Every structure is written in structure tokens, then in C-alpha cells.
Amino acid sequence: MRSQRIVSSVVVVCAALLVSACGSKPAPAGVTVSGIEVGRSLAVDKRVAEPTDTFGPADTMYASVATEGSGTATLRAVWTYEGGQMVNESSQTITPSGPAHTEFHVSNPGGWPTGRYRLEVSLNGTPAGSKQVEVK
């Protein structure tokens, strides 16, 4: 008799969970960063043509930030040199409706000093990824 009550209780709980799950709506996915690439040039679709992490002093450094999902979001790119010296900071508000790529770039007409540089990308103020590159 006791085992019948336990089985009945389990069936009732499972049925309640099933009914509540069927009635709930999935949460919106929003926008997420799915990748970051850096290189010397971009293709027409804003993807990096040839990814690299090594640059020359006269090169423009391009970054392509891949996102997925839909909605409105703000991407921010911060480029720093060696011990955190700010090189460039920029942001873009995006409204993708599926996979998309957003482009950021930095150039220095006087030439980049040799050393290590870091790109940090944030999405709506939350760190979303980084890349380290070197100028030789």
C-alpha cells in the first residue's frame, strides 16, 4: 500500500512538471559572442581574410567579432600595448537577427612599436573574449 502511494505521488509530480514545461515559453537567446579573429585584412562579409597574430609596424590590425542570436547589444573593443597602455577603444551597437560579424580595426600612421598587444572584447559590459597579437 505504501509503495502505491509513492508511485502515485511520483506520477502526480511528473505530470505537474510536464504540464508546466509545456506551458512555459523559452527564454530569448539574446546575442552572444561566438568567436574573435584578428588579421591584416577583412573579406566582404567582415570576416578576417587570413587570421594571424603577428603584424608588422605598418599593418592595420583588424578584428572580426562573430556573434549569434538576435536583439540589440553593444560590443566594445579595447586594444592595449604591453603593460596595459591604452591604444584604442571603440564600441558599436549591433542588432543582429542570426549569425553576424562586426569589424573593429586600429592603425598607426607613424608605425606600431614592436611588442605585444591585447584586444579585449566585451558584450554589454561583460568580458566576451580576448586575443593577444605581436608586432615584430
Side-chain angles (χ1 to χ4, degrees):
M1 171 126 348
R2 186 173 187 198
S3 64
Q4 282 181 324
R5 277 192 233 167
I6 291 172
V7 170
S8 296
S9 296
V10 168
V11 169
V12 169
V13 168
C14 288
L17 288 173
L18 237 161
V19 169
S20 67
C22 290
S24 67
K25 295 180 183 176
V31 178
T32 58
V33 171
S34 56
I36 302 168
E37 287 189 330
V38 291
R40 292 183 196 94
S41 64
L42 294 176
V44 176
D45 63 359
K46 296 185 182 178
R47 294 177 193 224
V48 169
E50 293 181 32
T52 186
D53 60 0
T54 305
F55 294 85
D59 289 339
T60 296
M61 293 186 245
Y62 289 92
S64 177
V65 180
T67 54
E68 294 184 9
S70 61
T72 300
T74 300
L75 284 172
R76 179 174 171 237
V78 177
W79 301 82
T80 56
Y81 173 66
E82 296 276 324
Q85 178 183 347
M86 176 75 71
V87 172
N88 183 279
E89 175 182 8
S90 60
S91 62
Q92 295 184 45
T93 299
I94 60 171
T95 55
S97 58
H101 287 82
T102 303
E103 174 260 329
F104 293 94
H105 67 275
V106 291
S107 61
N108 186 349
W112 297 110
T114 59
R116 294 177 190 247
Y117 293 76
R118 185 172 182 83
L119 165 65
E120 294 186 24
V121 175
S122 62
L123 176 69
N124 295 327
T126 302
S130 64
K131 287 286 185 179
Q132 187 165 317
V133 300
E134 186 171 4
V135 173
K136 292 185 175 183

